[in-house]
Amino acid sequence: MMGTAVLALSAAFVSCSKDKDLYEPFNESLIKAEYTAAFEKTFGQPAANQNWGFGAVRLANATRALQPSFNFPSDADASKFLADVPEGIELLAPGIGKANHYIDASYTGELNVWGIGTAENGWVAEGGTLYVKGNCDFSNRNFYFAGNSELYLVEGATLTLSAENSGNLQTNCNIYIAEGAKLVANGELKLNNGLHIYNHGTIEAPSLSTNSNSWLVNAGTVTVDGKISVENTESVIENNGTITAKNLNTAGSGKFENNATVEISGNTVVNSNDNTWVNNGQYHTGYFYYHAASDEVINNCKLTVDEDFNINLGDNPGNGNFKMDAGSGVITKNFNGGGKFNNANQNWVSYNGGPFYIYMGAASVFKVTGTATMNATKADYGIYGPESGDYAVFQANKIVAGAANQGYEVTYGGNLYVYAEESHFANGMSGQYPYIDFKGNAKIYASGFESGKPAVTIEETECNPGFSGGIVPPPSEGPSLCVLAEDLCAKEPGEFDFNDVVIDVYYVSAGEVKIILRAAGGTVPLRICGNTEWEVHKLFDVDTKCMVNTGSKYHVAKSPYSQATKPYVELSYTGYSSWSEDQDEFNSQVNHQIKLEVASVDDDDNILGWTELKAEVGKAAQKVAMPVDAYVEGWYTPGDEHWAWEKQYVGDGFKQWVIGQSESFYKIRQR
């Protein structure tokens, strides 16, 4: 592997080191934005599925594709969240019972708004508008506002309600809480009979409930000391902000959807045949209880349970199941599937037996850090991976049977790997019924079953805890990939050469790859795998301003920087434990695990910060990949050619590849 690379050169040289607008102070977003603009100006908008030679990212975030039949409400129009009271609206005088006014801290006495209107057109029974400005404290006085009306809390407003009025808000009203505004309830905040609250600010309450076609759409912060109840007749909570509470309970036909962040310190209970619970974001709870066989309990991102995940459903296989979208994740200390158990935290939920059913999408992970107890009791119930495609992984420290000598403790089905780090209960028969039933391609990796760990790696994401697969015997010949990167300095057509670092990555074993550093065409620090000792110029033993193995003639004649021809540098990387022998999977792993980072420096060459060079699907490429053989066979030995990349390929071949109109770029090199 010792030799000299002669890479194609761009027609211009760019230095990252002196552009104060970009690099003083360090502004990664601006750096990438300018680079992206230049890339798209040069090559066009990348195709939506363009993966830059690294292959599909099979372990991305959840797709959030498993959506319920119920259509959750949209947030109110932005015009409903007000910075101030509109011009022309007058201050409501105490004792005047009509709306289309505003109140502020100067308003004294009780508030009893019964009707709307003016002296000219008379009063109507209900309907109107009231604006709240400043600090309006009604914790010790009445606040009554007629039904079919609109209430606006403008920016900076605080409305404090007594315990009685917190539970007596009127029917079919809309309440809009602007950013920076706050609604404080001294008693249970009850949303009843068509009351809709749209929150961009803050809501604080000791407890909160929605009932009878009422809903809360939150894009701000909701803090509840006790329980949130979502019950009965399509009552709804949709969270696009942050919700914090001790407990959350869905029942009846209540609907709950999280698209952002939920923190429940105690219990989450899903308890109905007809309610909906959907997580599209980050949901964190102390305990999770799911029973009574609702068919729309869906996790599309990450559910974290501090203690026990408990599931116990009715006898209806294929329905009433916990669904996990592709790429989603669950993390829990313990898992209880079926059987009899009580809520260990509070005795307001108990189970009296019954089966369970979990469907896991491709590359999803259900991780039990403690013990998983299987007590399905009936045939076909248990845990299923997808019918085809990437495997799902159910893992636990220990997996035990829920009852001695009972048939059908669990069924494992589909493309599912079950991994028990310490132990999995043995299979056997209870009469004619097996303890463990297998369907599809499901396999158990544990003592007494398959040895080692399943040879699958699932990337850790915001939605997925990830899974690091087992070590497999190294092959005599394994996959390899060549990676060519651009250091973000290019700002115009003609400045893209993708030779600021060029490396090959070779599979050695599941725990090791070999990295061959071929070239370093940049003039700022660039490091490999986050290792400062693996800065490419340092590895070549040259100054940072020296370009290495990028072709001598052009650099000697045209460049203000020095140039050197150096032997390739070989590195061994063992910082990732589960390299795949599958070429496509290996390509994806190289993209994510072999990180290339470029430094931003000031005028004195002090490092201000590091930016990772990425190849994100459908976005401007900061690095591209091609087979090592294509490089070795001469696609990158053009002699004296030193055109920009957009000119080096027949019929704008690289451009056509970028926009998705050709299969590859290196096979159509301009010769």
Side-chain angles (χ1 to χ4, degrees):
M1 295 304 301
M2 308 301 284
T4 301
V6 277
L7 292 177
L9 306 178
S10 67
F13 289 90
V14 184
S15 171
C16 287
S17 60
K18 305 300 180 183
D19 194 332
K20 289 188 177 182
D21 290 338
L22 286 182
Y23 297 99
E24 240 181 275
F26 176 54
N27 188 330
E28 183 174 358
S29 297
L30 180 58
I31 295 167
K32 288 192 171 183
E34 292 223 354
Y35 177 86
T36 296
F39 185 94
E40 293 179 355
K41 178 181 178 181
T42 304
F43 303 116
Q45 177 67 42
N49 63 347
Q50 176 57 266
N51 58 47
W52 308 116
F54 289 97
V57 183
R58 65 171 65 179
L59 308 173
N61 287 348
T63 60
R64 303 181 182 181
L66 299 177
Q67 293 304 309
S69 58
F70 178 77
N71 292 320
F72 281 83
S74 300
D75 196 11
D77 187 81
S79 63
K80 295 291 188 179
F81 304 97
L82 304 177
D84 205 348
V85 174
E87 293 185 9
I89 301 298
E90 296 181 356
L91 180 68
L92 181 67
I96 302 299
K98 57 184 180 180
N100 293 334
H101 288 74
Y102 77 90
I103 59 173
D104 61 14
S106 68
Y107 187 91
T108 59
E110 310 291 322
L111 182 75
N112 292 286
V113 178
W114 290 91
I116 309 303
T118 66
E120 289 76 21
N121 62 24
W123 283 24
V124 294
E126 54 187 22
T129 306
L130 182 68
Y131 302 89
V132 178
K133 180 178 181 177
N135 186 11
C136 297
D137 188 348
F138 287 85
S139 57
N140 295 307
R141 50 191 172 131
N142 191 57
F143 183 94
Y144 177 85
F145 192 74
N148 296 306
S149 301
E150 292 189 334
L151 180 66
Y152 293 86
L153 276 64
V154 305
E155 289 182 14
T158 298
L159 175 61
T160 305
L161 301 177
S162 67
E164 180 180 358
N165 292 146
S166 299
N168 195 34
L169 297 170
Q170 298 303 298
T171 62
N172 300 318
C173 285
N174 291 330
I175 300 177
Y176 305 99
I177 305 173
E179 185 177 354
K182 180 185 292 187
L183 175 63
V184 180
N186 283 310
E188 181 179 353
L189 183 60
K190 293 184 178 180
L191 286 69
N192 292 318
N193 302 315
L195 175 67
H196 300 157
I197 298 180
Y198 300 89
N199 177 46
H200 282 204
T202 300
I203 294 175
E204 297 176 355
S207 59
L208 185 150
S209 63
T210 61
N211 300 281
S212 304
N213 294 300
S214 296
W215 66 60
L216 166 64
V217 180
N218 176 53
T221 301
V222 175
T223 302
V224 175
D225 298 330
K227 184 167 70 172
I228 295 176
S229 297
V230 190
E231 303 177 10
N232 306 322
T233 321
E234 294 191 354
S235 58
V236 176
I237 292 181
E238 177 181 325
N239 179 49
N240 302 306
T242 300
I243 291 179
T244 303
K246 182 176 182 181
N247 301 308
L248 185 140
N249 186 68
T250 65
S253 57
K255 315 294 182 186
F256 178 87
E257 181 178 65
N258 173 46
N259 298 313
T261 302
V262 173
E263 293 284 341
I264 305 297
S265 60
N267 301 302
T268 294
V269 179
V270 182
N271 180 24
S272 170
N273 290 320
D274 190 38
N275 62 184
T276 297
W277 181 93
V278 182
N279 175 42
N280 295 320
Q282 304 290 312
Y283 193 106
H284 182 194
T285 186
Y287 292 79
F288 189 84
Y289 294 90
Y290 170 30
H291 62 145
S294 170
D295 194 35
E296 296 195 337
V297 181
I298 300 168
N299 181 52
N300 281 327
C301 195
K302 182 182 282 186
L303 168 63
T304 302
V305 184
D306 291 333
E307 297 297 333
D308 296 346
F309 181 108
N310 304 294
I311 179 171
N312 191 313
L313 307 176
D315 189 4
N316 53 345
N319 296 309
N321 54 75
F322 183 77
K323 300 180 180 72
M324 295 176 62
D325 191 18
S328 67
V330 172
I331 306 175
T332 184
K333 181 178 180 181
N334 298 305
F335 171 83
N336 295 304
K340 297 181 179 181
F341 41 86
N342 293 320
N343 184 337
N345 191 28
Q346 292 184 1
N347 290 321
W348 59 308
V349 176
S350 62
Y351 295 87
N352 296 309
F356 72 95
Y357 188 98
I358 296 176
Y359 172 78
M360 300 180 64
S364 62
V365 174
F366 198 118
K367 182 176 182 179
V368 182
T369 60
T371 299
T373 302
M374 303 299 180
N375 198 359
T377 71
K378 298 178 185 296
D380 299 326
Y381 288 93
I383 304 170
Y384 287 75
E387 293 183 0
S388 61
D390 291 342
Y391 274 70
V393 174
F394 183 95
Q395 67 175 116
N397 181 51
K398 181 165 59 175
I399 302 178
V400 301
N405 301 317
Q406 172 183 277
Y408 296 119
E409 302 280 8
V410 65
T411 295
Y412 296 132
N415 284 358
L416 177 71
Y417 289 137
V418 178
Y419 172 63
E421 185 171 358
E422 182 177 325
S423 63
H424 192 297
F425 66 92
N427 205 353
M429 300 292 290
S430 176
Q432 59 181 322
Y433 306 116
Y435 301 158
I436 306 168
D437 195 13
F438 294 92
K439 295 185 180 299
N441 300 313
K443 292 183 179 180
I444 299 173
Y445 286 78
S447 177
F449 298 90
E450 300 284 341
S451 61
K453 298 175 71 175
V456 61
T457 297
I458 297 178
E459 180 187 7
E460 181 179 354
T461 71
E462 64 174 2
C463 291
N464 195 312
F467 180 80
S468 180
I471 302 298
V472 295
S476 56
E477 294 183 4
S480 61
L481 195 67
C482 179
V483 181
L484 308 95
E486 182 65 43
D487 65 8
L488 304 181
C489 297
K491 304 182 189 68
E492 295 291 341
E495 297 179 353
F496 292 89
D497 52 23
F498 285 91
N499 68 358
D500 295 323
V501 63
V502 179
I503 60 172
D504 292 341
V505 184
Y506 291 85
Y507 180 98
V508 176
S509 72
E512 180 185 2
V513 291
K514 179 170 61 176
I515 299 172
I516 304 297
L517 174 60
R518 289 179 176 271
T523 58
V524 290
L526 198 155
R527 67 187 182 188
I528 302 171
C529 295
N531 188 343
T532 304
E533 293 302 311
W534 286 4
E535 195 282 316
V536 295
H537 300 89
K538 182 183 292 187
L539 291 171
F540 277 129
D541 194 24
V542 297
D543 185 83
T544 306
K545 298 299 188 292
C546 181
M547 298 177 175
V548 181
N549 295 343
T550 54
S552 61
K553 293 183 180 179
Y554 187 73
H555 284 282
V556 170
K558 305 290 186 180
S559 174
Y561 306 111
S562 59
Q563 198 276 343
T565 299
K566 291 280 188 175
Y568 298 156
V569 177
E570 182 174 319
L571 306 167
S572 175
Y573 178 64
T574 58
Y576 183 62
S577 63
S578 53
W579 294 100
S580 175
E581 293 182 77
D582 176 78
Q583 181 70 61
D584 290 339
E585 176 69 12
F586 181 81
N587 293 354
S588 179
Q589 290 175 336
V590 169
N591 187 16
H592 294 283
Q593 300 301 329
I594 305 299
K595 294 184 178 181
L596 303 174
E597 296 171 297
V598 64
S600 297
V601 298
D602 62 16
D603 284 348
D604 297 319
D605 292 328
N606 297 308
I607 294 176
L608 303 175
W610 294 90
T611 300
E612 183 182 352
L613 304 177
K614 295 185 176 182
E616 299 179 273
V617 176
K619 298 183 180 180
Q622 297 155 18
K623 60 184 179 182
V624 298
M626 65 178 181
V628 170
D629 288 347
Y631 192 107
V632 173
E633 289 173 3
W635 298 110
Y636 283 83
T637 55
D640 291 336
E641 291 181 319
H642 43 254
W643 302 330
W645 264 39
E646 61 267 29
K647 297 178 181 178
Q648 291 186 18
Y649 301 91
V650 174
D652 290 331
F654 185 75
K655 291 184 179 181
Q656 295 304 307
W657 182 65
V658 168
I659 63 176
Q661 294 186 4
S662 68
E663 180 182 352
S664 61
F665 71 94
Y666 53 86
K667 294 181 180 179
I668 47 176
R669 178 79 178 207
Q670 177 71 41
R671 304 297 290 183

